[in-house]
Amino acid sequence: MGGDFLLDPEVAYLNHGSFGACARLVFEEYQRLQLELERGPTDFFTRQVARWFWGAPEQPGRLFEARAALARFVGARADDLVFVPNATSGLNAVIRSLRLEPGDEVVTTRHEYGAITKTWEFVGANLVMCEPDEIVASIGPRTRAISGSHITSPTALLLPVAELCAAAREAGALSIVDGAHAPGQVPLDLEALGADVYAGNCHKWLGAPKGAGFLWARPEHQAWIEPLVVSWGYREDADFGERHGWAGTRDPAAYLAVPKAIEVHASFQPDCQRALADESERRLGELGFPRVPGEPAPFMRAVELPAGDPVELWKRLYAEFRVEVPVYEWEGRQLLRVSIGPYNDEDDVDRLMAALERCL
Ligand SMILES: Cc1ncc(COP(=O)(O)O)c(C=O)c1O
């Protein structure tokens, strides 16, 4: 489908959903930023990147500019959004800051990303697990929060988050949205969506370098969300951006490359990605592997395979056929998830089909 990426041409890479992949232009910008940093680490950190920490709050610096560009892309005010390394970190900050009272319930789905469910378990949350279409009916008087994915990881479904957030609001519960797969795959307007808190990744479908995610919160929730790492921004009068904006010395190049990723993303062809995802789903269906029911994500589809050993099949597809696609167990079923990145074409899908016909 095009685009200049750095992926191994020998591999039919059908797993953009797990870790994304950077276009060459974005990766070059990322490396250019790293080299710039190494030429003058002190200048880069103190005068260029985070000036507002180092005595010049009137000159917000390049990190602030990158944040503003991302805020525009996701339909948010820059003040309500902070960079975090990934969606897991953003959601950890939220979940670990929320002081649950005994008896509080958190409504979530069986389709969530495992690390986030683990984080709720870590804080001892009383989880009400349901199917996405049961969320609204599962909200009750004890519901403190609903926690759901905009696009689910194991099943690749697009959930009606605006509707779910509205239902939570009406019931006086918080809505916490895991948007790891959304930026770059579906258009976002966070101001309009109605969530209380939203965490997303730029390194998946937006194509930023690994380690670029964000946490967004409505102004009324920003005070209680503690940063995972307490550092210099943790001051009495600090705002959301300051408290979360500096987590000790770390490489900010992935964050700073986000504006380039947004620019390059504009050259992708979402209609082609969607059409190829539809085509993959159709062909997998013809082989007897039906898609998990529900509204599908635009560029990702999960289908059910006959019972078998998913790890074995996953290994075989890569080792024998050079097809990179995740196969895994979910709720007692064997699923395979195809992701169509901006670089995939029909040949990749042909290779997957041929490999599956041989293996199954
Ligand atoms: C729905 C969902 N949430 C969270 C994550 C975690 O993303 P990260 O590892 O970048 O934090 C993923 C990763 O695939 C995901 O699919």
Side-chain angles (χ1 to χ4, degrees), residues 17-19 85-91 111-116 149-154 178-181 199-201 203-204 211-213 300 337:
S18 285
F19 306 107
N86 45 54
T88 307
S89 302
L91 290 167
H111 301 235
E112 301 310 312
Y113 186 66
I116 308 309
S149 297
H150 199 158
I151 292 173
T152 62
S153 171
D178 175 352
H181 283 281
N201 274 335
H203 51 231
K204 289 186 190 279
M300 257 193 334
R337 189 184 74 184

Side-chain angles (χ1 to χ4, degrees), residues 279-295:
E279 168 79 0
S280 314
E281 176 187 331
R282 188 187 59 74
R283 292 179 65 183
L284 286 161
E286 281 171 7
L287 285 185
F289 311 140
R291 182 170 65 70
V292 175
E295 170 78 23

